[in-house]
Amino acid sequence: MEKFVSHTGTAVPLRRSNVDTDQIIPAVYLKRVTRSGFEDGLFAAWRADADFILNRPERAGASVLIAGPDFGTGSSREHAVWALQNYGFKTVISARFADIFRGNSLKGGLLTVVLPQETVEQLWAATEADPATTVTVDLDAREVRCGDLVAPFEIDDYTRWRLMEGLDDIGLTLRNVSAVDEFETHRPSFKPVTLPA
Amino acid sequence: MTATHAAPVQPLTLAEKIWEAHVVRRAAGEPDLLYIDMHFIHEVTSAQAFDGLRLAGRPVRRPDLTIATEDHNTPTLEIDKPIADPVSRVQIETLRNNCAEFGVRLHSLGDANQGVVHVIGPQLGLTQPGMTIVCGDSHTSTHGAFGAMAFGIGTSEVEHVLATQTLPLKPFKTMAVNVTGSLRPGVSAKDVILAVIAQIGTGGGQGYVIEYRGQAIRELSMEGRMTVCNMSIEAGARAGLIAPDDTTYAYLKDRAHAPQGSDWDDALAYWSTLRTDEGASFDTEITIDADALTPFVTWGTNPGQGSPLGDSVPDPAAVEDAGQRAELQRALDYMGLTPGLPLREISVDTVFLGSCTNGRLEDLRAAAEVLKGRKVAEGVRMLVVPGSARVRLEAEAEGLDTVFKEAGAEWRFAGCSMCLGMNPDQLAPGERSASTSNRNFEGRQGKGGRTHLVSPLVAAATAVTGKLAAPSDLLEV
């Protein structure tokens, strides 16, 4: 996984709430068996509208998505994270994320940042006033900066460390594989198995 | 769940008990490492996970605690022929190859145990009280109906479980949803959960595991309990569960993977401890009066946008907050609905009966009861898609297929089908459905499609009248 320490880029203001993962990437785009190439499916239905914010020329190359509350609700599809990353987004800011989407994003190195809705509104206003405005998401300092605005955000130490080091979760767990071995010795015989012993 | 529950004397909620029984490793400043008792797999969210294992040279740690099926992409017609869509075909072939390579048991199309992953798990008896169960699908919460801690995960986590049979997780908060009183005739589990979601909102359950409690929940069959737990995710909750009781044990007894002989007695002794202790406290509690519930339908583009069938389409002008007003207007524009229109006057083109929410035998029976001797309205297409191949066989043994076919409905093979429209079962742009599935998101059932979420009873009555209706409306016809 790519390390995330700090990122600065231009932004896309997505003034919509309850953006579910079917909007982020519709199911018909989920048939690929790779982790790449999902950018075409990102917000596919909305992008059919030439005026949709992502289609505007001044938003080309933007890497910070600033969305309304309850972003990523619905399906657990990690393809939603891949589609955002494949398109070029490094980070998403919202007042509230759905649990599974948030988990997926932080596993995959797409930093999801929770800021109060008032701060999201300030960021929307700044990037709408001037699309060239850059937003910095600094994981090391745990703050978002945009012009004079400095907004601290919370993220637990463990997740921050894992993202800043770009560490693979499975590798970390396998360091403790003896604890798993030990746990399995206590498994009751009444619990089901799917294969004959 | 809070950190304070570690003290042994403290009463625990059911969710906390299951969690504590599965902690492999706990270290300060780190998530708990939780053991996973059962891992369900399907074709859409697993391919990249198996790829990851291959790249790292890792095996599946416990293929005996893993099971796969094909459901999201599968056709519901002519299943004996090769899948027409080449991309869907590759995805399914990829699953078959991965399962063969890594030694995972797979219930393929054509197998009596193939079907929607959340229907086959309970049907096989693989879903049992007190287990931790995961699947790369948000509706894994369904299995919580048995008093299991079951939740959806992403593909990175699928890979993690395949490799380690564990997941690093921070404990969920706990919420009690008390459903007091008894449901009236014609009101079902689907109406309960749609009313709960309308009350707490699509984000109201965020970070929580919900325990459904109260007389109306106890009175539900296992099928009904699965319907309730299934849609916990639509309220934003990671999981939903219901304490096991005699209804649960009766459902499980003698299923293929249920414990046998003395194991059954041991299991029963353990399962009977799986209830929230007297005096345990939930982080949040809400109460719903079952006696006051009536059939519930959605009119908007998220599952929280629903109302009793007797109501009308809400008016954005009555909403004070500008953001919420715009959001409501946007939903009505997409749905093509006018404020003030009685919900019973909404005409539909398609009725979909099926999915992990309402594709079980009891759901088909309820709808068939309404359709018996009646006809699907002119110009309305009704798709009946059993949740599994076995549900289809059982329904046919009871003659339900004949009832559906005589009414003019299409009797299909099992799969996720029009719930998410990954296979050819889709709405055309502008088409409107009454659907027993779980999501009314924009385009969910096909680009430009408009979805009203309903119970199987409402779906059947709607098929007859062509407009959103309850079975009680049919008496007047």
Side-chain angles (χ1 to χ4, degrees), chain A residues 133-146:
Chain A
T133 302
T134 58
V135 176
T136 296
V137 176
D138 187 337
L139 179 58
D140 192 15
R142 292 186 231 231
E143 63 188 26
V144 171
R145 295 185 295 273
C146 177

Side-chain angles (χ1 to χ4, degrees), chain B residues 243-329:
Chain B
D245 58 14
D246 289 342
T247 305
T248 321
Y249 312 147
Y251 179 98
L252 279 168
K253 188 100 176 89
D254 299 325
R255 297 224 168 229
H257 289 274
Q260 310 290 327
S262 66
D263 272 348
W264 173 262
D265 299 330
D266 292 347
L268 216 51
Y270 172 59
W271 296 346
S272 65
T273 68
L274 296 172
R275 55 204 71 249
T276 289
D277 292 330
E278 197 76 36
S281 65
F282 292 90
D283 296 311
T284 304
E285 286 206 49
I286 69 158
T287 297
I288 297 243
D289 177 10
D291 294 298
L293 288 178
T294 55
F296 217 87
V297 301
T298 65
W299 39 260
T301 54
N302 72 57
Q305 293 179 320
S307 301
L309 179 61
D311 285 7
S312 299
V313 175
D315 187 353
V319 178
E320 272 185 39
D321 179 84
Q324 287 175 13
R325 186 164 59 241
E327 205 66 32
L328 177 54
Q329 187 60 54

